[in-house]
Amino acid sequence: MSGIFSFSGDEDFFNGGTMHLSPGSCPGVYLPPRKRLRVAAPSPYSAFNQKQTSIEVLPDECLFEILRRLPSGKERSACACVSKRWLNTLTSIKANESVQEVESEGFLSRSLEGNKATDLRLAAISVGTSARGGLGKLQIRGSGFESEVTDAGIESIAYGCPSLKALSLWNLPAVSDKGLSEIARCCPMLEKLDLSRCPGVTDKGLVAVAENCRNLNDLTIDSCSGVGNEGLRGIARRCSSLRSISLRSCPRVGDQGVAFLLAQAGSYLTKVKLQMVNVTGLSLAVLGHYGVAVTDLVLSGLQGVNEKGFWVMGNAKGMKKLKSLSVTSCRGMTDVGVEAVGSGCPDLKHVSLNKCLLVSGKGLVSLAKSALALESLKLEECHRINHFGFLGFLMSCGSKLKVFSLVNCLGIQDLNSESHLTSTSSLRSLSVRCCPGFGDASLTFLGKFCHQLQDVELCGLNGVTDAGVLSLLQSNNVGLVKLNLNGCVNVTDNTVSAVSFSHGSTLESLSLDGCKNITDASLVTVAKNCYSVNDLDVSNTLVSDHGIKALASSPNHLSLQVLSLGGCSGITDKSKACIQKLGRTLLGLNIQRCGRISSSTVDSLLEQLWRCDILY
């Protein structure tokens, strides 16, 4: 019997030969005739041969209860790496369901774009940021109908990031009211919300935000076809902290929502932007009456607003604090509207008119006479403004005007004028771009009273020559800081020489891209006379290796930060050492389309100038 009890299963049943048990030797026991079985007793090593029991067999409810008791964010992050199931369970735990309170101040910012924006990444962000101060700002740029962000991803952010203060959702068609409502319910600290091309978001989601996010102060809705007037009413009723509202291309938004919002929130709204929405003069009239706190106003593509709407907005006299006005492609903005806004907004300082085809010089003169605090005027594609209106504005504007910009205004013609001006001598910045009728006569006229110019931009003006530029700058007595003559094909080295001699101690930026008559002589004078220049652009000119050598050997030890040589066929591999010497301070270098610079020289520059961003 001792042999039986010592049997381990690794040897024969009986070592001493064959042992037979007859039925008679075990009375009362029936032993049917069958093949003998090997019986193994328990072994201390047998457990390793058995299949291990996994925690994955736990039901979701049990796993949920375990994970919600994790002591800190670090443990949560570690557990999130176990499997997708654990990650999804962790992201489903709401802040009020966690046994251990996790401090979250909202210090972190995250941004996901394109194919990197997925529900899985959002879940990881939800868990990972909780241990590092909490997520405060999140920006998601989807890829349209191919976007992998759904309500599930947005909900994981809502549950794990109660400190969220700024959220931007762009081009996410799979996100709906369900996800936005969870954000509203779980993130009451939300202050800024930007919704762009999210067709699944409707008034229901916006009302949820209004009911739960009382700290909301900045709201942007762009191309959200599901948002309408009811959502705006909800925001107006409950979001008393709202300071900025931007609405663009929302077909269901009209006067009923916009006018109600402006009437309710006009006393505390400071920034209003209405772009391509279906409103009429009614909304502008309400704004003009109730917008007492509005300081910045942008109106674009309001085809339903006529001249009367702008006239009422200005004459309502309610926008006393308006400082900045930008109007683009609004056919209702005419000379009458410009005059009304100027007289009704005494604190108006910055005006920008773009594609306002019915505004003429008469309106500009009226604006200059009524808006006495005006500091900046920018005009683009306003083709009814002619030379007389341009000069009339300058003769009538107040002494505070500092910035004047004229872009692609085809009505401007270069006419001689004998008018004497003194009222706009405070002008600091002059920009004229792509106005084919603007030439030397206009510059000579401006040079008679613009004696404090610091920033001059004359681009794409074929009628401008050395004589015009020098006439403009000859009486300047404060020192030019920035000069941009891009595309002025008739400007030569004489202008650069005169400017560097008179303003070399103050000039910081010089741009001559496309000036076909600029040669090495310009770089020689810059190297000799300019002490402060840090941005130099001589792309598409006639400069060569000799000019680069002059810059590198400048006695003033130039500290160039940006050097653009694109399209200069005269620059070869011989300039390699000089460029490397200049590269000690360079942060940006453009050598694109320099066909005589070899690939080996480019590779060497990339290696030596590792701090510099090189375009090649």
Side-chain angles (χ1 to χ4, degrees), residues 537-554:
D537 188 351
V538 289
S539 300
N540 302 300
T541 61
L542 299 178
V543 299
S544 66
D545 296 330
H546 178 69
I548 303 302
K549 182 179 180 180
L551 289 177
S553 58
S554 169

Side-chain angles (χ1 to χ4, degrees), residues 440-451 453 465-476 495:
D440 287 345
S442 299
L443 291 180
T444 301
F445 173 76
L446 292 174
K448 295 178 181 179
F449 68 95
C450 294
H451 301 158
L453 286 173
T465 66
D466 293 333
V469 177
L470 297 180
S471 297
L472 174 66
L473 301 177
Q474 66 181 354
S475 300
N476 193 300
T495 293

Side-chain angles (χ1 to χ4, degrees), residues 128-450:
T129 56
S130 62
R132 296 170 175 81
L135 186 65
K137 181 179 180 180
L138 176 62
Q139 182 182 91
I140 308 173
R141 288 178 175 264
S143 51
F145 291 104
E146 297 179 356
S147 176
E148 297 182 29
V149 175
T150 67
D151 287 330
I154 302 301
E155 288 173 358
S156 65
I157 292 294
Y159 298 152
C161 306
S163 61
L164 190 65
K165 295 180 180 179
L167 176 63
S168 296
L169 304 177
W170 296 344
N171 204 13
L172 302 174
V175 173
S176 67
D177 293 330
K178 181 182 178 183
L180 186 59
S181 297
E182 289 301 314
I183 288 286
R185 189 168 60 86
C186 300
C187 305
M189 300 171 61
L190 192 67
E191 297 177 357
K192 181 177 180 179
L193 178 62
D194 184 351
L195 301 174
S196 178
R197 285 181 284 178
C198 296
V201 175
T202 68
D203 290 336
K204 181 180 178 181
L206 209 56
V207 170
V209 171
E211 292 175 345
N212 295 278
C213 304
R214 300 300 177 91
N215 293 328
L216 189 69
N217 57 52
D218 191 329
L219 177 62
T220 298
I221 306 175
D222 183 355
S223 304
C224 294
S225 56
V227 174
N229 295 323
E230 190 58 37
L232 295 183
R233 292 194 194 99
I235 293 292
R237 292 189 185 102
R238 295 176 177 86
C239 296
S240 58
S241 298
L242 193 64
R243 296 294 179 268
S244 175
I245 180 71
S246 176
L247 303 173
R248 183 178 186 273
S249 299
C250 297
R252 296 184 61 229
V253 170
D255 283 327
Q256 293 181 355
V258 174
F260 186 88
L261 174 64
L262 296 176
Q264 290 286 111
S267 60
Y268 46 82
L269 270 176
T270 59
K271 296 181 179 180
V272 176
K273 183 182 291 187
L274 303 176
Q275 297 176 286
M276 292 179 283
V277 290
N278 299 323
V279 297
T280 67
L282 174 63
S283 293
L284 294 196
V286 172
L287 176 62
H289 184 76
Y290 292 100
V292 296
V294 176
T295 60
D296 297 84
L297 177 61
V298 176
L299 304 174
S300 176
L302 304 184
Q303 301 303 319
V305 180
N306 56 21
E307 181 182 73
K308 184 178 180 180
F310 284 96
W311 181 85
V312 174
M313 183 182 74
N315 284 300
K317 308 292 183 181
M319 294 191 295
K320 300 291 185 181
K321 295 183 179 180
L322 186 65
K323 290 180 172 59
S324 176
L325 172 66
S326 176
V327 182
T328 302
S329 300
C330 292
R331 60 186 181 184
M333 176 56 88
T334 64
D335 292 339
V336 174
V338 170
E339 181 179 4
V341 170
S343 61
C345 306
D347 203 23
L348 191 61
K349 295 182 179 181
H350 308 284
V351 174
S352 175
L353 302 177
N354 187 354
K355 298 180 181 178
C356 295
L357 304 180
L358 298 181
V359 174
S360 68
K362 180 181 177 181
L364 292 188
V365 173
S366 300
L367 177 66
K369 292 180 178 179
S370 56
L372 301 180
L374 191 64
E375 297 180 0
S376 170
L377 177 63
K378 298 181 179 181
L379 304 172
E380 183 171 355
E381 295 189 40
C382 297
H383 301 309
R384 290 193 64 186
I385 297 174
N386 56 24
H387 185 78
F388 296 106
F390 163 64
L391 298 181
F393 169 79
L394 293 178
M395 289 188 292
S396 304
C397 67
S399 59
K400 294 184 178 181
L401 186 69
K402 293 180 172 59
V403 179
F404 184 81
S405 176
L406 202 64
V407 180
N408 197 21
C409 292
L410 304 182
I412 300 292
Q413 298 296 325
D414 202 28
L415 301 176
N416 292 313
S417 176
E418 299 298 329
S419 301
H420 298 283
L421 304 177
T422 58
S423 60
T424 56
S425 58
S426 61
L427 195 67
R428 296 288 194 277
S429 175
L430 174 66
S431 176
V432 183
R433 293 185 286 129
C434 302
C435 296
F438 198 94
D440 287 345
S442 299
L443 291 180
T444 301
F445 173 76
L446 292 174
K448 295 178 181 179
F449 68 95
C450 294

Side-chain angles (χ1 to χ4, degrees), residues 531-535 556-562 585:
Y531 303 91
S532 305
V533 64
N534 55 55
D535 189 343
N556 300 319
H557 304 289
L558 296 179
S559 297
L560 285 174
Q561 295 182 3
V562 179
T585 58

